[in-house]
Amino acid sequence: MTPLRLGYLYGFGAYLLWGFIPIYLKLLRPAGPMEILAHRIIWSVVFVALLLAALRNVGFLRSLARRPRTLAGIVVAAALIAVNWGTYIYGVNSARVVETALGYFINPLVSVLLGVLVLRERLRPAQWVALGVGAAAVAVLTVDYGRLPYLALILAASFAGYGLAKKRLGLPAAEGLFVESAVLALPALAYLGWLASRGGSTFGEVSAGHTALLVAAGAVTAVPLLLFAGAANRLPLTALGMLQYVAPVLQLGCGVLIFHEPMPPARLAGFTLVWLALVIFSLDALRTGRRTRAAARAADPLPAAAH
């Protein structure tokens, strides 16, 4: 199998797993969102630690200890992904899967906005149009919900911020996830201890299957991230960008078709505007990618064998 095909396989696998994660989270009830989040953190540490030990790749911890700025960046990334995970779990288990899907649809637009505000990047006209249409979509959905779709906005902003932090850190997926989860492990353990002391823990109390599902949160968290890293190393950025819409489409399908959440006409109109913004954004990215490759070929017309 060629690296490109393997990259598509990894990418589709990652987004497929992320797309159906609402079903898994629903199975964790009656555990509350904070308990699920704490278990997700703890078992992620355990799962990735075992993986790194199997790969004999633990030496990176020593080098990180000598890089305080990198450690500070990891703390920021950990806080952002904790907010993202916690918000998503709360949204799924409060019957708002459709709104959480919206968050991941608008995430690319928020990432572009962060590029302007934080990295001082200049946008092309089509990108400005996509942002404008996205803002109109949020306005329509605000009218429909009777409030800002704050879950979607928190999810989009936290994941876009996490992506920016990860880009600056440049850590491999497994190592990055391990350190981020390790940063959060102590407060997660403290919360689970407090919950157990109050008799509110569901771990080991509901059924063996429920306990196994909580333990499986480590693999459910880590496996898609590792598949995504494999895809990112093999696919062009534009291809990876197209694949990212698989997850929210599946999440939306879970919300409407499986969990029977409402999709009134006004909400559908808002989602349609979001999809229009993403079409404009994606077509612009594809066109720019083609122009960049054409310019590269024009600058170096000789085939690789001639060098």
Side-chain angles (χ1 to χ4, degrees), residues 289-301:
R290 290 196 192 101
R291 286 176 180 171
T292 301
R293 290 191 295 271
R297 286 195 296 268
D300 188 11

Side-chain angles (χ1 to χ4, degrees), residues 218-229:
V220 170
T221 298
V223 170
L225 284 170
L226 296 174
L227 289 172
F228 175 78

Side-chain angles (χ1 to χ4, degrees), residues 193-209:
W194 173 82
L195 193 65
S197 70
R198 293 173 56 88
S201 174
T202 63
F203 187 76
E205 300 293 333
V206 177
S207 67

Side-chain angles (χ1 to χ4, degrees), residues 206-292:
V206 177
S207 67
H210 181 265
T211 300
L213 285 170
L214 284 173
V215 173
V220 170
T221 298
V223 170
L225 284 170
L226 296 174
L227 289 172
F228 175 78
N233 290 334
R234 292 169 175 84
L235 291 178
L237 193 58
T238 50
L240 200 62
M242 296 302 103
L243 278 176
Q244 74 179 324
Y245 302 130
V246 170
V249 165
L250 292 174
Q251 291 164 5
L252 180 63
C254 286
V256 175
L257 302 177
I258 298 177
F259 305 130
H260 306 294
E261 293 185 14
M263 180 61 81
R267 193 166 305 169
L268 182 59
F271 269 85
T272 302
L273 284 173
V274 171
W275 296 328
L276 175 61
L278 292 175
V279 167
I280 295 169
F281 177 77
S282 301
L283 289 176
D284 177 70
L286 287 171
R287 185 169 57 249
T288 302
R290 290 196 192 101
R291 286 176 180 171
T292 301

